[in-house]
Amino acid sequence: MPCYAIDGIRPVVDPTAHVHPTAVLIGDVIVGPGAYIGPLASLRGDFGRIVIERGANVQDNCVMHGFPGSDTVVEENGHIGHGAVLHGCVVRRDALVGMNAVVMDEAEVGTQTIVAACAFVRAGLKLPPRSLVAGLPAKVVRELTESEMAWKREGTAVYQDLTRRCHASLVECSPLTEAEPDRPRMPAPDVKPLVATKREGA
């Protein structure tokens, strides 16, 4: 992986974490046990500290950065969707930040809270636990249901399993020129999009 020290400070990656070879880690970055860092994620600890705690995931094309002296933190089992931007904020334990959402400086995403895709969480906003948050700017919509929190936990567990799969079998290769007969499919864990879960429960 592209990994750079700056001012003598080197990133730290727990041996049980998976950092994709195209992700970039710079300076004061700490990636904890069992964490997953996806392709093309950028974790820039060249001003403030970046911390990814145990079992959290930061998916493809995410950006994490902060002002000097700040910490940008994803706590245990945090879940950061594709393309999200976190800047000088804290995402608490078991929370989810959706795809292409932005969470700004000194904001706090509460424990088990879900920030919807494309939401904008303004600087300094403290979001309560177990809430669904959406909009531009982001606002609390309602409290999460038990089934929504269970759906989030299942999705995070899938990424924790992906970390193990990557350690076991991810290798760089050349593509085939055509699909082979009876081409196998990827393992299909029993997790569905939230909209499908709600539809089935209706």
Side-chain angles (χ1 to χ4, degrees):
M1 82 197 83
C3 191
Y4 303 92
I6 186 168
D7 297 330
I9 299 177
R10 297 170 59 182
V12 176
V13 177
D14 187 276
T16 63
H18 171 73
V19 179
H20 190 273
T22 62
V24 179
L25 276 53
I26 300 172
D28 195 2
V29 176
I30 302 169
V31 179
Y36 174 88
I37 310 298
L40 302 174
S42 175
L43 281 61
R44 280 183 50 206
D46 46 15
F47 292 127
R49 176 169 291 174
I50 308 292
V51 180
I52 312 300
E53 293 187 359
R54 177 184 298 273
N57 67 78
V58 177
Q59 297 173 20
D60 322 48
N61 299 308
C62 289
V63 174
M64 294 185 65
H65 194 236
F67 282 107
S70 70
D71 287 359
T72 306
V73 180
V74 179
E75 290 188 347
E76 185 171 356
N77 296 334
H79 191 109
I80 312 302
H82 315 293
V85 177
L86 307 181
H87 203 278
C89 59
V90 177
V91 177
R92 294 289 180 204
R93 179 180 51 80
D94 276 323
L96 181 149
V97 175
M99 292 182 254
N100 289 315
V102 176
V103 185
M104 291 298 295
D105 300 278
E106 299 183 14
E108 183 178 309
V109 177
T111 301
Q112 297 181 308
T113 284
I114 293 178
V115 175
C118 298
F120 178 80
V121 179
R122 63 176 171 77
L125 185 62
K126 310 296 185 196
L127 299 172
R130 294 183 59 155
S131 299
L132 176 63
V133 177
L136 294 164
K139 294 178 181 173
V140 175
V141 176
R142 59 175 170 76
E143 187 171 321
L144 289 171
T145 65
E146 291 295 333
S147 65
E148 287 167 331
M149 289 188 294
W151 171 83
K152 185 274 168 195
R153 288 191 298 271
E154 290 167 4
T156 300
V158 167
Y159 268 88
Q160 290 165 345
D161 184 58
L162 179 57
T163 296
R164 293 185 283 271
R165 288 172 57 205
C166 288
H167 276 282
S169 68
L170 183 72
V171 293
E172 190 169 0
C173 66
S174 299
L176 300 173
T177 56
E178 61 183 58
E180 60 271 60
D182 300 319
R183 181 176 174 84
R185 290 189 174 269
M186 288 291 168
D190 188 22
V191 64
K192 300 173 183 171
L194 185 56
V195 66
T197 303
K198 288 182 175 179
R199 192 165 49 237
E200 290 171 3

